[in-house]
Amino acid sequence: MLPKPPPRESSLGFLYLPPYRVQGLSVAGEATCIQIPELDLCFDMGSCPRAALASNFVALSHGHMDHVGGLAYYCSQRRFQGMGDGTIVCDARIESDVRTMLEGFQALERQVTPFNLVPLQEDEVFKLKNNVSLKGFHTEHTAPSMGYSIIEHRTKLKPEYTDFPQEKLRELKNRGEEITRNLEVPLISYLGDTAAGSHLLRDDVLKSKIIITECTFFDPGHRGRANIGKHLHAADIAEWLRVAECDAMVLVHVSRRTHLGEARAQLTEGLREEDIGRVHFLMDHRTNRMRYEQQLAEAEAAHVKV
Ligand SMILES: [Zn+2]
Ligand SMILES: [Zn+2]
């Protein structure tokens, strides 16, 4: 009898939530790395899949190995492939530890791998591109932890001017009149490892179009374990969905021991009918593939109609 070859690596999770792709891998305790290619950003770098190298920005939720294990590799490999310096955004409370880790690898490799490290305080903002920024906020875990909201900045005509003709508006503007107001539109929120708390109910989180969040426990008997590890339980998700305005809530950080079918059933039990369709599991490859095929078919049908 010949020995068997090793098991194949599992593929990346993928969801198309227009206009964003949410892709990557996330298994509790093993590795989490979630990429939004449209924003040039990865949340966490527990390991570094090939696709993740292309993102110029990484936002770290906390320092546990399953969220930072691939970070030094990300920096080193980007240098090796001539992709430029990556920018790593993190909670200011872990900045020096992240720096020490990356400098440790510089010493080991006998090469100065460049990286930009940007620490954020509570509610501090980092600009990703012209009108889009990343806002950090504290969450609650067994290590210092940070969640993020991606905010789009828009300007809108003040309501009192909406009926004014263009030339009148131009005239007012030329006179130095402030005719617009600034709007902050939350696009995506990411909650790394966290217990439930007021951070789940922040305005920017509740108003985000997409929430990507951990959910580590599903069994009704595992609420105590969730509390001890400062993780979310399916019951927290059900409660949260009653007030969150998101079109999609993407669950990540499910453990390998959890059977996805069972987890979905346990979660669904506590959900309102109208919330069921809003919840996705990033690593449920079968369901997500079927969903994407449906999206393809719909896009093709729409194209034929045109
Ligand atoms: Zn974790
Ligand atoms: Zn953790």
Side-chain angles (χ1 to χ4, degrees):
M1 274 280 271
L2 289 176
K4 281 191 191 142
R8 252 190 270 160
E9 289 287 312
S10 66
S11 51
L12 301 186
F14 173 68
L15 280 161
Y16 179 48
L17 303 168
Y20 302 106
R21 286 168 286 170
V22 178
Q23 62 188 41
L25 51 94
S26 183
V27 180
E30 293 183 18
T32 289
C33 173
I34 296 151
Q35 184 178 28
I36 317 287
E38 288 73 16
L39 294 170
D40 204 12
L41 172 72
C42 287
F43 291 115
D44 287 328
M45 197 57 78
S47 73
C48 180
R50 223 182 131 70
L53 285 172
S55 287
N56 279 307
F57 301 101
V58 179
L60 297 179
S61 65
H62 65 300
H64 282 159
M65 184 59 91
D66 56 322
H67 299 259
V68 299
L71 191 62
Y73 178 84
Y74 162 85
C75 295
S76 178
Q77 194 59 205
R78 278 180 61 97
R79 178 186 182 272
F80 180 66
Q81 296 195 20
M83 300 171 87
D85 310 358
T87 295
I88 302 150
V89 179
C90 73
D91 188 328
R93 295 170 295 178
I94 65 167
E95 179 198 2
S96 68
D97 301 313
V98 174
R99 189 178 300 285
T100 303
M101 172 180 74
L102 293 175
E103 286 172 356
F105 275 100
Q106 289 182 346
L108 265 174
E109 289 208 283
R110 307 291 197 273
Q111 86 185 3
V112 183
T113 299
F115 62 91
N116 305 313
L117 190 57
V118 181
L120 290 189
Q121 305 284 349
E122 169 84 349
D123 271 326
E124 203 177 339
V125 159
F126 171 77
K127 196 169 174 181
L128 284 175
K129 54 182 179 182
N130 259 341
N131 56 341
V132 178
S133 58
L134 190 63
K135 186 182 273 189
F137 54 88
H138 292 165
T139 58
E140 196 190 331
H141 192 41
T142 55
S145 58
M146 183 160 261
Y148 298 93
S149 285
I150 292 164
I151 310 281
E152 186 184 348
H153 304 273
R154 294 186 193 159
T155 52
K156 209 175 168 206
L157 212 54
K158 284 182 177 170
E160 59 265 41
Y161 296 123
T162 44
D163 295 332
F164 279 45
Q166 278 300 327
E167 54 192 276
K168 181 78 181 153
L169 288 175
R170 210 171 304 131
E171 189 190 312
L172 284 167
K173 207 174 160 194
N174 290 342
R175 257 199 274 148
E177 204 85 37
E178 200 60 71
I179 59 168
T180 57
R181 62 197 169 106
N182 295 323
L183 282 185
E184 288 195 352
V185 182
L187 304 175
I188 300 176
S189 291
Y190 173 65
L191 281 295
D193 292 6
T194 185
S198 57
H199 46 279
L200 302 190
L201 303 176
R202 292 169 54 92
D203 208 45
D204 49 3
V205 172
L206 289 183
K207 290 197 158 62
S208 271
K209 304 266 187 293
I210 301 171
I211 296 177
I212 303 167
T213 179
E214 76 127 307
C215 184
T216 313
F217 294 96
F218 291 86
D219 191 309
H222 286 174
R223 292 209 73 163
R225 287 164 67 170
N227 286 341
I228 291 167
K230 290 194 188 286
H231 283 295
L232 291 176
H233 185 278
D236 300 314
I237 301 293
E239 215 174 301
W240 193 9
L241 275 165
R242 290 173 173 268
V243 286
E245 294 173 22
C246 61
D247 300 325
M249 188 176 277
V250 180
L251 303 187
V252 300
H253 209 266
V254 178
S255 85
R256 192 174 289 279
R257 287 189 306 273
T258 306
H259 182 276
L260 276 178
E262 264 169 43
R264 195 183 281 278
Q266 281 164 335
L267 174 75
T268 306
E269 201 134 299
L271 292 184
R272 298 180 303 178
E273 187 72 28
E274 61 263 42
D275 291 334
I276 295 172
R278 292 201 283 158
V279 184
H280 307 274
F281 287 78
L282 179 65
M283 300 309 280
D284 186 349
H285 301 304
R286 219 174 84 88
T287 306
N288 295 344
R289 198 178 312 121
M290 277 165 20
R291 180 179 175 277
Y292 183 64
E293 276 163 15
Q294 179 76 27
Q295 287 176 312
L296 281 176
E298 281 165 16
E300 203 158 299
H303 187 71
V304 169
K305 236 182 272 166
V306 172

